[in-house]
Amino acid sequence: MASIPTIFLVILVTVTAAATTTTEATGNWTLLQSNIGITAMHMQLLPNDRVLIFDRTDFGASNLSLAGGKCREDRNDYVLKKDCTAHSIEYDIVSNTFRPLMVQTDVWCSSGSLVADGSIVQTGGFNDGDHVVRVYKPCDECDWKEIKSGLINRRWYATNHLLPGGRQIIIGGRRQYNYEFYPKISPTEKAYSLPFLVQTNDPNLENNLYPFVFLNPDGNLFIFANNRAILFDYSRNQVIKNYPKIPGGDPRNYPSTGSAVLLPLRIIQENVTLVEVLVCGGAPKGAFMNAQNGKFDRALKTCGRIKISDPDPKWVMETMPLARVMGDMLLLPNGDVLIINGGSAGSAGWEYGRSPVLNPVLYKPDYPVGHRFLIQTPSTIPRMYHSTAILVRDGRVLVGGSNPHIYYNFTNVLYPTELRFEAFLPSYLDPHLSSSRPKILPGTRTQFGYGDQIIIQFKVFGHVNPESVSVTMLAPSFNTHSFSMNQKLLILEGRNTTTCVANATYEVAVAAPPSCFVAPANYYLLFVVHRQIPSEGIWVQIG
Ligand SMILES: *[C@@H]1O[C@H](CO)[C@@H](O)[C@H](O)[C@H]1NC(C)=O
Ligand SMILES: *[C@@H]1O[C@H](CO)[C@@H](O)[C@H](O)[C@H]1NC(C)=O
Ligand SMILES: *[C@@H]1O[C@H](CO)[C@@H](O)[C@H](O)[C@H]1NC(C)=O
Ligand SMILES: *[C@@H]1O[C@H](CO)[C@@H](O)[C@H](O)[C@H]1NC(C)=O
Ligand SMILES: *[C@@H]1O[C@H](CO)[C@@H](O)[C@H](O)[C@H]1NC(C)=O
Ligand SMILES: *[C@@H]1O[C@H](CO)[C@@H](O)[C@H](O)[C@H]1NC(C)=O
């Protein structure tokens, strides 16, 4: 996160030390629940510190009964016409408890976004659920509400993104070479075609499902599908720029599932001038077909990084210490990228993944090339197809799911349906760092307009160099199929403004994001980061 020369020197010293110990494992795992009853295929953090989790309604009976003896009767369901078990839960982070929720239609391989009022608006799925929009507004007793024909086209394996105007765009999905918005501006609003999704569709392989979509601060969308990307003006249905093909040409989207992040965006003079995307892992072209024939190709070991804001952008390739398909990439509050879950052979899709990669890997975007990856402590639980990971307010990463089977299968299979729910604790949560960890003091305002000044008081022990304090803001993302929709970390403007106001008490003044193009109105998590160690976050509302 540091870009100024003096800090860089400090980092270089640290890097030299780290580089010699890249195999030293760091971070910890804890098992939170040995059985949450369903497999966590989709996850979204909510602004009341609960997590909405769901799988699909046609897996058959789950291991969790619906509350009050309720049952779901669905004549369209392929497996059970009457199912008295849950396929969605709300997990409460603070109490480490969960309760079953009732979802009526099939949410399998769907998409969604948190929206400005704090609810999640989820779209599509399979079968009777493919045109359905569902809203979950969190409260103690709430449940899903379904809008039957909310979508114009079926959306299965589509990607959503929250837009500056407050609506969501829903892009693609199986055999859908188009996009639409939700909510509709008028009852007659149509879907718009997107030929890029035809061009990137390998016949019989697809390889462009769940495209990687990011909102560029210039208002356009960056859309990566298969092995290349465009900058797209969705309001005029125009391609603004074609980015070069990723070197090697191998596909990175489902079923060759790699992952991608928008690297942390630094706001300077109310502007973001450097915008970078990092795409990592995946499976080589043909891996899905080969897996069908019992040949499990080695996963891709490369990442491509591109400055999408550059007039002549080029991919810069890097090599991960571990090859990975179906990995999740998460932005941590200090600007590091965590690569977690997945396998090192085969492909996404039923039964097609092999060789679980149990070690997460950390990527430090500001370290010199060749020194950016750090292998982390392994989990003991394989997290293959249909596994998920999200960052929560206290800095932990919650990990769940893994079910490469058409049903819940616990025996006689390679990777049994996984109901265990665990947390990865990045090394910034090490107890021996607790005295350097900032603690945001109560009383910070939590609602801001664009460009507003945000004054945060925090406590931290030891000497604080103002240059080593930054304030970051994270958009809580919707995670499924190894991609976190809407994921974004902003480094707020106001570096070096930290002053000491009392013993071990400091104040930092930063500016809220400058516009809805940088941060669409929504809930965000705000962190004070001191020497790469983030505080617990606080929820703030922007816009
Ligand atoms: C889930 O339920 C099935 C059927 O009752 C049972 O066989 C299986 O052991 C349970 N699995 C777990 C992990 O609880
Ligand atoms: C933001 O930066 C870009 C790229 O340098 C520049 O074209 C644009 O005018 C700047 N916008 C503002 C509001 O300063
Ligand atoms: C998986 O579960 C389904 C439904 O319970 C069952 O029909 C099938 O035989 C199981 N598969 C294996 C490999 O056990
Ligand atoms: C992980 O656990 C070990 C042993 O309990 C402890 O020494 C270490 O500080 C822990 N690290 C984190 C990140 O919690
Ligand atoms: C931070 O503030 C100190 C003291 O005012 C100053 O010496 C230093 O140059 C500043 N650094 C930056 C990056 O502005
Ligand atoms: C400052 O706070 C620390 C930690 O609470 C305490 O040990 C120290 O005595 C305090 N110093 C002064 C001057 O109050």
Side-chain angles (χ1 to χ4, degrees):
M1 297 201 1
S3 58
I4 58 152
T6 47
I7 291 285
F8 197 61
L9 277 179
V10 175
I11 285 175
L12 273 178
V13 172
T14 328
V15 167
T16 320
T20 56
T21 56
T22 37
T23 52
E24 184 185 302
T26 48
N28 269 358
W29 289 89
T30 51
L31 185 67
L32 299 171
Q33 290 286 342
S34 57
N35 186 347
I36 56 167
I38 67 166
T39 175
M41 190 192 293
H42 312 78
M43 285 212 271
Q44 168 76 57
L45 175 65
L46 302 167
N48 59 352
D49 289 333
R50 312 249 170 115
V51 183
L52 183 68
I53 306 176
F54 53 99
D55 56 16
R56 57 186 284 222
T57 54
D58 54 354
F59 263 148
S62 76
N63 284 57
L64 180 68
S65 297
L66 285 165
K70 276 186 288 185
C71 297
R72 180 180 61 90
E73 300 206 23
D74 183 353
R75 62 188 163 79
N76 296 311
D77 196 305
Y78 291 139
V79 181
L80 284 178
K81 307 288 174 212
K82 183 177 180 190
D83 186 353
C84 304
T85 66
H87 290 280
S88 174
I89 64 168
E90 186 198 64
Y91 173 78
D92 183 333
I93 296 169
V94 178
S95 64
N96 187 22
T97 55
F98 56 93
R99 67 181 180 98
L101 300 177
M102 162 98 87
V103 60
Q104 297 286 350
T105 51
D106 200 353
V107 281
W108 180 25
C109 298
S110 60
S111 45
S113 173
L114 192 72
V115 299
D117 72 353
S119 39
I120 170 177
V121 175
Q122 176 274 359
T123 57
F126 179 66
N127 192 12
D128 62 355
D130 64 7
H131 284 74
V132 179
V133 171
R134 305 168 192 82
V135 181
Y136 181 79
K137 189 166 170 61
C139 75
D140 288 343
E141 316 248 295
C142 298
D143 216 319
W144 291 88
K145 292 200 168 43
E146 310 211 0
I147 301 157
K148 274 280 175 257
S149 300
L151 298 175
I152 296 168
N153 291 327
R154 65 197 288 255
R155 300 289 170 190
W156 193 34
Y157 298 86
T159 296
N160 294 21
H161 206 294
L162 187 64
L163 297 173
R167 298 205 288 168
Q168 286 187 66
I169 189 167
I170 304 137
I171 302 178
R174 212 153 196 183
R175 298 189 191 100
Q176 295 298 333
Y177 313 107
N178 58 68
Y179 60 95
E180 65 183 283
F181 300 94
Y182 191 85
K184 303 289 176 236
I185 235 160
S186 75
T188 55
E189 189 181 19
K190 294 276 179 289
Y192 301 85
S193 78
L194 185 54
F196 173 67
L197 293 179
V198 177
Q199 294 150 16
T200 51
N201 182 41
D202 287 335
N204 309 318
L205 292 178
E206 302 183 282
N207 278 329
N208 69 354
L209 297 179
Y210 279 124
F212 306 142
V213 178
F214 301 108
L215 176 64
N216 190 21
D218 72 359
N220 297 309
L221 292 174
F222 174 87
I223 307 175
F224 183 102
N226 193 337
N227 56 14
R228 67 184 183 93
I230 54 171
L231 190 65
F232 186 65
D233 179 346
Y234 59 84
S235 59
R236 293 193 182 79
N237 190 245
Q238 253 173 37
V239 175
I240 307 288
K241 190 186 268 188
N242 279 287
Y243 293 95
K245 207 176 252 185
I246 194 164
D250 283 315
R252 307 283 179 157
N253 296 88
Y254 180 91
S256 275
T257 310
S259 192
V261 283
L262 185 65
L263 288 175
L265 297 175
R266 184 180 290 280
I267 301 165
I268 300 167
Q269 292 178 346
E270 301 180 11
N271 204 345
V272 179
T273 49
L274 175 62
V275 186
E276 291 185 273
V277 167
L278 180 71
V279 176
C280 290
K285 194 167 183 168
F288 183 70
M289 293 286 240
N290 287 341
Q292 287 173 22
N293 298 316
K295 180 174 177 285
F296 302 96
D297 292 338
R298 183 180 151 79
L300 301 178
K301 214 178 176 183
T302 53
C303 297
R305 178 165 167 172
I306 190 166
K307 293 185 167 118
I308 69 169
S309 50
D310 206 280
D312 182 22
K314 295 202 166 47
W315 291 98
V316 177
M317 302 307 286
E318 297 178 60
T319 305
M320 297 187 283
L322 303 167
R324 196 181 302 252
V325 58
M326 298 180 284
D328 282 283
M329 294 173 73
L330 299 187
L331 293 165
L332 301 181
N334 63 359
D336 290 347
V337 179
L338 184 71
I339 310 174
I340 192 167
N341 296 345
S344 65
S347 137
W350 301 127
E351 315 291 346
Y352 295 156
R354 289 294 182 278
S355 313
V357 183
L358 299 173
N359 294 83
V361 165
L362 208 56
Y363 176 86
K364 297 204 159 266
D366 291 341
Y367 280 22
V369 178
H371 298 279
R372 290 183 177 154
F373 294 101
L374 296 167
I375 295 181
Q376 306 289 292
T377 306
S379 171
T380 55
I381 305 174
R383 298 290 181 179
M384 305 300 278
Y385 188 43
H386 290 148
S387 59
T388 46
I390 54 164
L391 182 99
V392 296
R393 195 170 62 78
D394 59 23
R396 290 177 303 161
V397 171
L398 305 190
V399 175
S402 188
N403 188 13
H405 320 295
I406 301 178
Y407 302 100
Y408 291 87
N409 289 103
F410 302 101
T411 49
N412 305 322
V413 287
L414 209 44
Y415 307 110
T417 301
E418 193 48 73
L419 305 181
R420 284 175 290 179
F421 198 56
E422 59 185 339
F424 175 70
L425 284 66
S427 60
Y428 55 62
L429 293 173
D430 274 355
H432 77 268
L433 295 174
S434 61
S435 67
S436 306
R437 181 170 309 121
K439 185 178 188 325
I440 298 177
L441 295 176
T444 302
R445 232 176 84 200
T446 56
Q447 287 182 311
F448 301 97
Y450 293 110
D452 281 1
Q453 193 179 52
I454 307 181
I455 294 177
I456 306 150
Q457 289 204 343
F458 62 96
K459 263 193 129 55
V460 68
F461 298 110
H463 174 69
V464 172
N465 175 353
E467 287 179 9
S468 61
V469 174
S470 57
V471 177
T472 61
M473 221 178 83
L474 185 80
S477 49
F478 179 93
N479 178 285
T480 191
H481 288 76
S482 309
F483 184 61
S484 291
M485 303 176 196
N486 287 314
Q487 185 171 221
K488 163 178 346 200
L489 185 80
L490 300 171
I491 303 169
L492 300 185
E493 185 158 14
R495 191 185 168 77
N496 213 15
T497 61
T498 300
T499 54
C500 186
V501 293
N503 184 16
T505 305
Y506 297 83
E507 193 170 277
V508 60
V510 292
S515 74
C516 57
F517 296 102
V518 176
N522 209 344
Y523 284 86
Y524 291 83
L525 281 169
L526 182 137
F527 301 88
V528 171
V529 182
H530 171 231
R531 287 199 232 136
Q532 306 280 313
I533 303 165
S535 65
E536 276 200 359
I538 59 169
W539 286 104
V540 297
Q541 252 182 309
I542 308 290

